[in-house]
Amino acid sequence: MCGIVGYTGKNSALTPVLDGLRRLEYRGYDSAGIALATQVGKPLYVEKQAGKLKNLEEALVKKSDSNSGIGHTRWATHGGPTDTNAHPHLDNEGKLALIHNGIIENYVELRQQLEKLGHKFKSETDTESVVHLLSDARKDNNGDLAAAMRQVCKQLKGSFTLLAIHSDNPSHIVGARRNSPLVVGVGEGENFLASDVAAFIAHTKIALELGQDQVVEITPNSVVVTDLSGQIVKAKEYEISWDVSAAERGGFTHFMLKEIYEQPKAIADTLIGRLNGLNLKLNFKKFEKIVIIACGTAYNAGLVGKYAIEKWAQIPVDVELASEYRYREPSLNKKTLVIAISQSGETMDTLMALRYAKSKGATILSVCNTNGSTIGRESDEVLYTHAGPEIAVASTKAFATQLIAMYLIGLEIGRKLKKLSNNEIKEITEQLTQLPAKVEQILETVEPLRELTRKFKSAESVLFLGRHVGYPTALEGALKLKELAYMHAEGFAGGELKHGPIALIDNGTPVVAIMPTSSGILAEKMASNIQEVKARGAVVIVISDSEFTGADHLIRIPEANQLLQPVLSVVPLQVIAYEMAVARGNDVDQPRNLAKSVTVE
Ligand code: F6R
């Protein structure tokens, strides 16, 4: 939901700002803009364009440059994706520019007040109110932009990351955050501000984490962080553990394909050092139930987690859509462990559900992929997945590692509560260790599946069936296909078919059935479901670990413990979605209408 970059330093700003935007484009890609402080005290150089970043780059032929600037890539909320609504937004003199990620909830009343004071608005955005407010506040504070920003933040409702630059003091960039991400990149003679470390990883690996309601001011040689009362705050410094190559395509046609192929490593990295126990300071004996909160793909990982945790730890587990959770009156208290799963660690729905659960006394364990993210910081404990940066909007390797995190948590609780015997623990850990090689094996044999997928590119709808953990896997397969191929796709529990969905089957409808034999009796039941859909004209692609003659097309995957099977069976589903998107000419890494981090509710 919008990517934000700021640079001030010894070098020209245009290159790091544009490079940063390129790496943040996954966050939003309906328009982009930059502001550069080219001349002291003169209007800023601003260029903004609707559409992808390349439109902005083409418009920048004049290539004005300076040593400091800010840039923005947008996912529209208030006001359509037009040149005018693109960020930065300017004050009436054109000397102050502001970019924003989030939503200003009280922008209507602010705008009315500001218009009465003579401010002229150009866009339909919520952001523009803030730049006018900041302009007045700067005058009230004798040109001190950081003080003005603190004053303005106190007047704002909602969520925001804000960056501002004024041409009177061009080497200063001021930022602020509430409920949206902002990190500082600390360089030598240059400093950066960005929504995500990916924006500046090519320049520095030293980052500072900013807390809630903090304001930061950077110059080429200084970083000052304060709270809203102006008190200096010591920001937590950390070193980014991956390097720039992880945020590049490295010879693959798309980030998504690269990330599918990175899964064996991501799984191995997430398992490393954790099979003999997690270093979590939680007393599992005190919990009477577990609630998993998450959205989208992370929610599907949570559904698999329920099966594993209930089986291995014998604690009841509910899995809840984070966006729904706090709007009813869920039963939770001090004896509830809430597990929040989020790749980005900044999904607003998940964050709000987490805060709600915390306010009711629940203990929060989060599973995040992004170091220093808000969800991680607001949790009692965090289990980081080590998927590395996931750039493609559709989640693949992050899902695989979220599954691994679920298994590790189930194993940990089962072990701590003595619900698993030593033999069971040994069997599970051995099976987990084998997963990277098994995923590798699938990836070596997916070529025929890619060819097969292309045959279905004109299908109206694709159905996915599974039982037990195959059901959430089917949901994940359908979600991937919807978001990438823009096709109607649904995931069903095999047993539910006859209760309605079977009416969707028509002559030639592709049905993908997940049927590992480790599911025992359920595999037999799936075989019957397959016959039922075939009898009604479906073309069935079966994903199984053994020979099965009832399939129109059989995709073989290796055997594994039933609970661990989703890590394997999801791989062909990811490949189907990828290939279908390519065959239909869609933008694989940046599907329409989506953004990677959903930082608005
Ligand atoms: C789908 C996808 C989304 C995310 C969801 C939650 O491919 O990526 O459904 O899983 O928006 O995002 P995080 O995990 O960042 O909270």
Side-chain angles (χ1 to χ4, degrees):
M1 298 277 122
C2 302
I4 278 184
V5 194
Y7 172 88
T8 179
K10 56 193 176 200
N11 295 316
S12 93
L14 190 63
T15 308
V17 171
L18 283 178
D19 282 353
L21 288 181
R22 211 165 292 123
R23 292 193 201 286
L24 295 186
E25 216 187 355
Y26 71 87
R27 300 180 62 85
Y29 33 83
D30 59 37
S31 52
I34 62 161
L36 299 171
T38 45
Q39 282 177 287
V40 182
K42 293 279 173 357
L44 297 157
Y45 171 77
V46 174
E47 189 63 63
K48 38 193 210 170
Q49 290 289 323
K52 295 253 166 103
L53 185 61
K54 69 173 174 27
N55 295 0
L56 174 69
E57 288 172 319
E58 279 162 19
L60 282 168
V61 276
K62 285 191 270 148
K63 290 238 166 152
S64 271
D65 210 348
S66 81
N67 298 105
S68 54
I70 57 177
H72 187 268
T73 176
R74 180 168 187 245
W75 187 86
T77 59
H78 294 63
T82 61
D83 292 356
T84 316
N85 289 333
H87 300 211
H89 292 283
L90 298 173
D91 67 348
N92 288 342
E93 293 172 307
K95 288 163 68 173
L96 172 66
L98 181 93
I99 52 180
H100 167 219
N101 169 30
I103 289 180
I104 305 299
E105 285 163 8
N106 55 338
Y107 80 100
V108 175
E109 66 192 73
L110 290 174
R111 185 169 178 147
Q112 283 162 356
Q113 288 161 15
L114 288 156
E115 278 174 337
K116 277 192 202 136
L117 293 171
H119 288 274
K120 299 270 175 284
F121 281 71
K122 294 195 175 108
S123 76
E124 303 150 297
T125 63
D126 50 340
T127 308
E128 202 179 353
S129 298
V130 186
V131 75
H132 291 289
L133 204 59
L134 190 64
S135 165
D136 283 357
R138 188 179 163 275
K139 286 174 194 143
D140 296 345
N141 286 278
N142 301 319
D144 183 340
L145 191 56
M149 186 66 96
R150 286 190 284 271
Q151 182 178 316
V152 165
C153 287
K154 290 183 202 153
Q155 291 170 263
L156 301 180
K157 292 195 182 126
S159 61
F160 50 82
T161 300
L162 299 166
L163 288 196
I165 186 167
H166 195 287
S167 65
D168 282 354
N169 204 355
S171 59
H172 284 231
I173 300 176
V174 172
R177 70 166 292 264
R178 178 185 299 160
N179 294 338
S180 285
L182 178 61
V183 277
V184 186
V186 184
E188 279 175 25
E190 57 184 2
N191 286 311
F192 304 80
L193 290 170
S195 313
D196 176 344
V197 295
F200 52 71
I201 184 74
H203 304 274
T204 176
K205 290 183 125 193
I206 306 297
L208 297 181
E209 239 179 75
L210 291 183
Q212 190 71 335
D213 276 327
Q214 291 183 349
V215 169
V216 57
E217 183 176 16
I218 60 165
T219 68
N221 295 305
S222 68
V223 178
V224 179
V225 183
T226 63
D227 62 19
L228 292 192
S229 69
Q231 288 293 316
I232 303 274
V233 177
K234 186 155 172 37
K236 192 172 151 211
E237 187 178 292
Y238 64 98
E239 196 174 331
I240 304 155
S241 57
W242 44 273
D243 63 29
V244 69
S245 62
E248 280 163 2
R249 279 208 307 268
F252 284 87
T253 35
H254 297 99
F255 276 109
M256 181 181 175
L257 194 59
K258 175 180 175 242
E259 288 160 9
I260 289 174
Y261 277 84
E262 280 173 346
Q263 290 181 109
K265 180 174 182 318
I267 294 167
D269 287 351
T270 303
L271 285 171
I272 216 157
R274 288 167 164 173
L275 284 167
N276 294 325
L278 303 175
N279 203 4
L280 301 174
K281 290 177 212 74
L282 296 176
N283 173 12
F284 291 108
K285 287 197 184 113
K286 90 172 204 207
F287 303 121
E288 285 174 355
K289 76 165 181 178
I290 294 176
V291 178
I292 299 178
I293 49 171
C295 302
T297 284
Y299 172 81
N300 293 338
L303 290 174
V304 176
K306 173 183 166 77
Y307 286 80
I309 299 170
E310 285 189 341
K311 167 98 174 143
W312 295 339
Q314 293 168 33
I315 296 189
V317 181
D318 291 337
V319 189
E320 302 273 356
L321 288 169
S323 54
E324 288 290 317
Y325 190 56
R326 71 188 174 120
Y327 297 107
R328 54 189 178 84
E329 284 179 26
S331 130
L332 83 168
N333 54 40
K334 287 190 180 125
K335 293 180 180 161
T336 312
L337 174 67
V338 168
I339 304 178
I341 311 174
S342 175
Q343 186 283 129
S344 60
E346 58 173 271
T347 299
M348 187 58 72
D349 290 317
T350 310
L351 178 62
M352 290 304 171
L354 176 159
R355 287 188 182 156
Y356 174 83
K358 221 172 162 181
S359 75
K360 299 284 173 193
T363 301
I364 317 289
L365 164 62
S366 61
V367 172
C368 294
N369 192 43
T370 312
N371 206 320
S373 58
T374 313
I375 290 177
R377 274 188 291 117
E378 296 197 15
S379 304
D380 297 290
E381 282 284 347
V382 195
L383 181 64
Y384 283 107
T385 49
H386 296 309
E390 193 178 61
I391 311 286
V393 165
S395 185
T396 52
K397 62 176 179 169
F399 176 71
T401 59
Q402 286 163 349
L403 293 177
I404 299 299
M406 291 295 101
Y407 301 137
L408 289 171
I409 291 170
L411 193 59
E412 176 78 356
I413 309 178
R415 193 188 267 132
K416 288 268 158 66
L417 299 185
K418 304 205 178 353
K419 301 287 183 189
L420 286 170
S421 69
N422 287 344
N423 275 347
E424 284 169 318
I425 294 172
K426 189 161 168 272
E427 202 262 335
I428 297 165
T429 50
E430 273 174 15
Q431 288 262 341
L432 281 167
T433 317
Q434 291 165 13
L435 287 175
K438 289 181 180 175
V439 173
E440 193 86 64
Q441 201 181 320
I442 300 172
L443 290 170
E444 278 162 14
T445 56
V446 288
E447 222 29 63
L449 175 61
R450 294 178 68 169
E451 208 174 297
L452 173 66
T453 301
R454 292 194 283 272
K455 294 198 179 130
F456 295 106
K457 74 169 191 183
S458 305
E460 271 186 19
S461 134
V462 181
L463 305 185
F464 293 78
L465 299 184
R467 284 175 177 256
H468 195 268
V469 286
Y471 167 49
T473 315
L475 293 178
E476 176 59 9
L479 175 61
K480 285 288 94 91
L481 198 66
K482 278 183 249 200
E483 65 179 327
L484 289 158
Y486 318 150
M487 285 169 100
H488 173 248
E490 300 270 356
F492 295 111
E496 274 297 293
L497 262 191
K498 55 190 176 297
H499 299 291
I502 199 158
L504 290 167
I505 306 289
D506 208 347
N507 238 354
T509 305
V511 172
V512 182
I514 300 149
M515 201 186 83
T517 46
S518 55
S519 60
I521 176 98
L522 292 177
E524 289 164 29
K525 295 202 182 294
M526 273 301 295
S528 306
N529 297 145
I530 289 167
Q531 291 312 322
E532 286 155 18
V533 293
K534 275 186 75 169
R536 286 155 181 89
V539 180
V540 186
I541 302 159
V542 174
I543 296 172
S544 181
D545 51 10
S546 66
E547 274 311 315
F548 176 64
T549 48
D552 293 301
H553 305 278
L554 180 68
I555 310 299
R556 286 290 293 270
I557 54 171
E559 283 176 21
N561 171 306
Q562 182 183 11
L563 285 162
L564 308 189
Q565 269 293 343
V567 178
L568 307 180
S569 43
V570 77
V571 179
L573 306 187
Q574 295 166 341
V575 172
I576 290 173
Y578 171 81
E579 200 56 42
M580 199 73 98
V582 174
R584 287 165 70 99
N586 296 351
D587 188 335
V588 174
D589 286 334
Q590 297 175 344
R592 69 182 181 201
N593 305 338
L594 296 174
K596 183 123 189 106
S597 314
V598 186
T599 54
V600 293
E601 271 191 274

